[in-house]
């Protein structure tokens, strides 16, 4: 699962990483949560012959995808994650998988290791060698009953690799920079053509740093939430998921 993440890079660094022409100025964000606006990048209009301008565009979307067919958003779960294993067939995500694949830039993400009935131990999980990472994202534009439109999105997840599995059994899908063009190409590539990209990150790509429970509160947004914190005892057994719960719903708190 990926229920919180951070983007602390400068706009120029982020634009260069994603292959965008430019980005408007934005502050570092250390505790991005579902329902908040998040930056994503999608394929733009085809380039004119001879143009060397980037063919990608930034979008600001609400983190929490709403399919176009939803009638009452108050009775619909918060889809901030999408399980990659079934996204091609699942009604909530299959249109976005075909037409609106995106990249979500991040400096890292947070995950909680559960320990019995106690509060989970939070970890700040970042690329071991620093820099940015791009998660696989999906975008859906939802038309509200009043006629206004809202761009919404989700982050795809996959089974965790060995770096993360002792903390949580899921992790966000990481798209390597060399695969950005393939993932974003919704004009010529079907979901099945990019299914091989929906895999765990390479071993040792991430490092997990235990942090304090400051990250648990959305109101805490400063860099201090990433400072090393106390490590609780190892869990006695793996936490079992409640029947009917899945990675697409808010289950962290």
């Amino acid at each position: 699962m990926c229920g919180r993440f951070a983007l602390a890079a400068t706009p120029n660094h982020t634009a260069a990483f994603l292959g965008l022409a430019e980005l408007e100025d934005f502050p570092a964000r250390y505790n991005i949560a579902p329902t908040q606006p998040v930056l994503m990048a999608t394929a733009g209009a085809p380039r004119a012959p001879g143009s060397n301008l980037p063919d990608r565009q930034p979008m600001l979307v609400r983190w929490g995808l709403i399919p176009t067919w939803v009638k009452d958003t108050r009775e619909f779960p918060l889809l901030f994650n999408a399980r990659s294993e079934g996204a091609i067939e699942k009604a909530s995500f299959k249109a976005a998988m075909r037409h609106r694949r995106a990249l979500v830039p991040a400096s890292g993400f947070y995950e909680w290791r559960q320990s019995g009935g106690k509060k989970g131990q939070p970890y700040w999980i970042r690329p071991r060698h620093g820099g940015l990472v791009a998660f696989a994202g999906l975008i859906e534009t939802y038309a509200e009953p009043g006629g206004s439109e809202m761009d919404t999105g989700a982050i795809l997840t996959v089974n965790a690799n060995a770096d993360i599995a002792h903390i949580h059994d899921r992790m966000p899908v990481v798209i390597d920079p060399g695969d950005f063009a393939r993932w974003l190409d919704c004009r010529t590539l079907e979901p099945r053509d990019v299914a091989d990209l929906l895999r765990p990150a390479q071993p040792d790509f991430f490092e997990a740093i235990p942090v304090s429970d400051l990250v648990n509160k959305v109101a805490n947004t400063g860099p201090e939430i990433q400072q090393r914190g106390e490590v609780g005892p190892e869990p006695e057994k793996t936490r079992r998921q409640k029947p009917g719960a899945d990675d697409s719903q808010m289950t962290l708190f």
Side-chain angles (χ1 to χ4, degrees), residues 43-48 54-57 187:
R47 288 180 290 191
D55 58 352
R56 296 170 193 165
Q57 63 184 14
R187 297 188 184 93

Side-chain angles (χ1 to χ4, degrees), residues 69-194:
W69 43 264
V70 171
K71 301 300 183 183
D72 187 351
T73 58
R74 296 170 300 181
E75 298 182 358
F76 195 75
L78 185 61
L79 303 182
F80 60 89
N81 284 167
R83 294 179 69 93
S84 61
E85 295 87 347
I88 294 176
E89 294 86 15
K90 192 169 183 179
S92 297
F93 306 119
K94 63 181 181 180
M97 276 291 295
R98 175 62 187 89
H99 301 290
R100 289 170 293 278
R101 299 190 294 268
L103 298 170
V104 186
S107 301
F109 66 103
Y110 302 94
E111 194 52 84
W112 282 255
R113 190 194 73 201
Q114 300 301 316
S115 179
K118 299 180 180 180
K119 292 183 179 180
Q121 167 66 53
Y123 284 80
W124 164 234
I125 301 170
R126 66 184 183 186
R128 187 174 299 275
H129 300 295
L132 287 170
V133 64
F135 300 146
L138 300 175
I139 292 176
E140 192 68 84
T141 300
Y142 179 71
E144 298 178 305
S148 61
E149 293 186 341
M150 174 172 56
D151 294 321
T152 68
I155 293 174
L156 285 154
T157 67
V158 71
N159 287 329
N161 66 9
D163 302 330
I164 313 298
H166 68 288
I167 300 172
H168 197 278
D169 61 352
R170 304 289 296 180
M171 67 185 301
V173 173
V174 173
I175 303 296
D176 294 331
D179 293 319
F180 283 2
R182 279 186 63 205
W183 174 250
L184 295 179
D185 183 3
C186 296
R187 297 188 184 93
T188 64
L189 298 180
E190 298 280 348
R192 63 176 179 270
D193 299 322
V194 294

